[in-house]
Amino acid sequence: MTCNSSIKIGFIGLNSKNTLAVRTHFQAIFQVSSLFEISAIYNDNIEDSLDVIDRLKLQDATAYPSLKEFVSISSIDMVVVTSSGEPIFGNVMSVLDNIRECTNQIRYIFFEWSLNFSIEQTELIVNETRQLGIQTIVSLQSRKSPYIVRAKELIDDGSIGNINSIEVAGNGNWFGYERKQKSPEYIFDIESRRDLVSYCFGHTIDALQYLTGSYFSTINAMIFNNIPEQTLVDEQGRSLGIKVAKNVPDHLLFQGKLIKGNVPVSCTIKGGKPTKKFTKNLVIDIHGTKGDLKIEGDAGFIELSNLVLYHSGVKVDVAPESPDSQANGQVIYDNNEEVLEFFHFRNYNALVGNMVKMYQAIANYDAIIADKFTTYPTPVQSPVKTEDKISLMQGFQMDGFPTLMDALVLYRLVESVYRSNAIGSTLNVSNISQ
Amino acid sequence: MTCNSSIKIGFIGLNSKNTLAVRTHFQAIFQVSSLFEISAIYNDNIEDSLDVIDRLKLQDATAYPSLKEFVSISSIDMVVVTSSGEPIFGNVMSVLDNIRECTNQIRYIFFEWSLNFSIEQTELIVNETRQLGIQTIVSLQSRKSPYIVRAKELIDDGSIGNINSIEVAGNGNWFGYERKQKSPEYIFDIESRRDLVSYCFGHTIDALQYLTGSYFSTINAMIFNNIPEQTLVDEQGRSLGIKVAKNVPDHLLFQGKLIKGNVPVSCTIKGGKPTKKFTKNLVIDIHGTKGDLKIEGDAGFIELSNLVLYHSGVKVDVAPESPDSQANGQVIYDNNEEVLEFFHFRNYNALVGNMVKMYQAIANYDAIIADKFTTYPTPVQSPVKTEDKISLMQGFQMDGFPTLMDALVLYRLVESVYRSNAIGSTLNVSNISQ
């Protein structure tokens, strides 16, 4: 184990076409470059790897022609799996096979949420990685948003009393009346299921479950494709006079009951560029017996957007766990009993910032694990890769990071949403988190 | 027929306990006293009638000891049926029987929406009144709210383009953590079904259907009773330290598709006094391809509340049909293409005002009908009471008033909401308006 040196990363799928991975993972790693180092790149076409190494000036990175060499020769500690749309499951299985068979020190695999594996694929990877003692991480990074963290603290410390109702409304940019000519094609491929439901709803409802500390017991969903044709537009939004067919959803209606407190939750996700004039494009209203929280964003992507958090409720004396967010909370009104405050970091780049916090959480975890095993009273004789060492699931804990098991629960919820719509039924989903 | 004289009203159920009827019907009639006159009162206990005549100084009104005399002797043109909770269906059937059998000139029966007849009872009254040529009116008076009328005009004239999504959130005052000691008991009797669903949701969703000009094709609902005990409070809201059981709903989640445009509609109705800090207690957001409408109210009762209407969209040149509401609309921003305006009548008393407009609509209708029959080229030889003369349904027309047939369609929707919740299913309700 490399305890005091940086964690070496090998990327699968980082290339010039994968702009979101560049704008999130690469930029985030750049900001925590004392903790992480990009050492290896694999793409199915090695030219893509050489190209991205050149463009991003990754002087410490090597392009590998095969996943076997990527795993066995590269000396990486962590694999980061991203994709700009091409199927990726085969590569993941190949990596796992090679980890099993080759000498290597890989301890972490970091998956994009939007890889959108099927339930069966995810279950397989969860089991394989568990057996191999590989720690998984999934980019449900809104859990690391300072606004979500602060809101969760306010809920947990009783500042709004008991939650008794929630309303969520979000926008999914790609799925409206217009389509940018340069949009990724897989977004509009119904088979890829990287759509309004899996992507936009998935991230938003994960944040909500995380905030409230509860999964759903009961759900109902209706999915719409009311915009069967989109108008192609250029980067400036000017119509190109061409219509293209759209067969992916442009609206989701979702409602359900949280297990904890039987809380009613109403959620709508709407396709299209931000157009609402009297509401923000992301609004989460959480009502409690002693107050309210409101989370707002200009864009409908909770994991990528800078947000504003409003809190109205009671002042609870709790030792501040995150002093910086406390300091940034601006108390407008406080008569000892009631408090009205808001939290906003004007220059917070959420696109990168939430991902930086993910990588920091991994580095923290790595340090704790290393310490735990090096200071263990009796020297550990068992092989280094054991199930004991991995965090199977973050669940609703503040520490750590979401794992593939968290993603599996969420994939099952997304699957239930499609199914509720398809069969026209309210579904009991109490057991999907088990 | 009394063409030029005022319309004589006989009340069933107007008494001192029925404070809402006094505050709406009586006050409204008082404001249009050149058009209407309260001539007769019937209550099951005649003392109640004598008492209310005395208290409200109804010098032209007579208290009748029986419905037979109320119908045959009183010379009334219109029966107004209200109730402070006691069963009223028997009295309605008795009135209809007497109309059939006695000499009388009754042409109108005005029902409270909140009488909440069963579907079968409503169908029976619809058929009976149709056969007798009696015009029904139902107090779904939000249809006469100047805000709803103006919003409907803006939708109809294309000012927001095509509607593509709608969110509704309202409050139902009685059904929260506290119960005023003097609250009417029937509100909390599950059997009376005058609850969050029938009453609060009913009025709100009727306004929404009326605005959009569409019924629902598909719905799903979840009904909650998360507050099984309420705390009794006095008129000032101070706790009396007594808990009382509550078995009626305190929350409704409803979602569905409008027939017209397959528009997604999300609607939540929450019990409890106004407590939301960051949203109003009634919010209707209507999003269109060219703009948005927002309707807000401080209280969750759309039919009784003064509202604010916001409009953002395109300027459409239409001859103003209601010049006074146009004049009150304040244009904030207008560059010929886009317009941002709001409508608010600061001193509008919606509780009385919307009901005044109901009575005015009845008087207008009465004048038109009278004129139609007196100026008919060939003298009408058929009996005065014919089906031809009555407006069976207002539907989505601007003119006129909601009838018992409109109420029947709405009762069926409310029934479908209970059923969707009970059987856990999304329901096709396309046929309930037929």
Side-chain angles (χ1 to χ4, degrees), chain B residues 71 324 331 334 378 424:
Chain B
V71 167
D324 64 333
V331 176
D334 179 357
T378 317

Side-chain angles (χ1 to χ4, degrees), chain A residues 200-342:
Chain A
C200 307
F201 169 77
H203 272 292
T204 309
I205 214 73
D206 181 64
L208 187 79
Q209 292 184 139
Y210 184 64
L211 272 175
T212 59
S214 178
Y215 299 111
F216 285 88
S217 64
T218 308
I219 65 142
N220 180 269
M222 298 181 194
I223 299 172
F224 299 73
N225 180 16
N226 282 346
I227 308 172
E229 279 193 334
Q230 295 179 303
T231 301
L232 273 191
V233 298
D234 67 14
E235 285 303 296
Q236 280 70 47
R238 287 173 302 218
S239 170
L240 298 169
I242 302 164
K243 295 263 188 189
V244 286
K246 175 171 93 38
N247 58 10
V248 295
D250 47 52
H251 209 107
L252 166 68
L253 292 178
F254 170 92
Q255 59 192 20
K257 309 176 186 184
L258 292 180
I259 293 172
K260 190 171 161 184
N262 198 37
V263 174
V265 176
S266 171
C267 175
T268 71
I269 309 280
K270 176 180 182 170
K273 65 179 182 181
T275 51
K276 295 175 181 175
K277 293 292 167 59
F278 300 118
T279 61
K280 292 283 183 176
N281 290 293
L282 174 69
V283 183
I284 300 181
D285 278 304
I286 300 179
H287 308 291
T289 49
K290 292 181 179 174
D292 287 324
L293 292 178
K294 190 184 201 84
I295 297 168
E296 286 191 336
D298 282 329
F301 299 102
I302 195 166
E303 77 286 9
L304 307 177
S305 302
N306 197 4
L307 306 173
V308 185
L309 168 65
Y310 300 90
H311 166 228
S312 163
V314 290
K315 194 81 185 169
V316 174
D317 272 328
V318 179
E321 289 199 29
S322 62
D324 63 334
S325 65
Q326 284 264 352
N328 278 276
Q330 301 187 32
V331 176
I332 301 168
Y333 169 74
D334 179 357
N335 73 353
N336 294 327
E337 283 187 25
E338 279 191 80
V339 61
L340 183 64
E341 53 188 350
F342 75 95

Side-chain angles (χ1 to χ4, degrees), chain A residues 162 164-167 169 177 218-224 226 251 253-257 261-268 270 275-279 285 287-294 310-312 338 340-341 420-421 424-427, chain B residues 162 164-167 169 177 218-224 226 251 253-257 261-268 270 275-279 285 287-294 310-312 338 340-341 420-421 424-427:
Chain A
N162 297 320
N164 57 23
S165 70
I166 295 171
E167 298 127 31
Y177 296 95
T218 308
I219 65 142
N220 180 269
M222 298 181 194
I223 299 172
F224 299 73
N226 282 346
H251 209 107
L253 292 178
F254 170 92
Q255 59 192 20
K257 309 176 186 184
N262 198 37
V263 174
V265 176
S266 171
C267 175
T268 71
K270 176 180 182 170
T275 51
K276 295 175 181 175
K277 293 292 167 59
F278 300 118
T279 61
D285 278 304
H287 308 291
T289 49
K290 292 181 179 174
D292 287 324
L293 292 178
K294 190 184 201 84
Y310 300 90
H311 166 228
S312 163
E338 279 191 80
L340 183 64
E341 53 188 350
S420 171
N421 173 68
S425 185
T426 301
L427 299 179
Chain B
N162 297 322
N164 57 22
S165 69
I166 296 172
E167 297 127 30
Y177 296 95
T218 307
I219 65 140
N220 179 268
M222 298 182 195
I223 300 173
F224 299 73
N226 282 346
H251 209 105
L253 293 178
F254 169 91
Q255 59 192 20
K257 310 175 184 184
N262 199 38
V263 174
V265 176
S266 170
C267 174
T268 69
K270 178 180 181 170
T275 52
K276 294 176 181 174
K277 293 292 166 60
F278 300 118
T279 62
D285 277 304
H287 309 291
T289 49
K290 294 181 179 173
D292 288 323
L293 293 178
K294 192 183 199 84
Y310 300 90
H311 165 228
S312 163
E338 279 191 81
L340 183 62
E341 52 189 348
S420 171
N421 173 68
S425 187
T426 301
L427 299 179

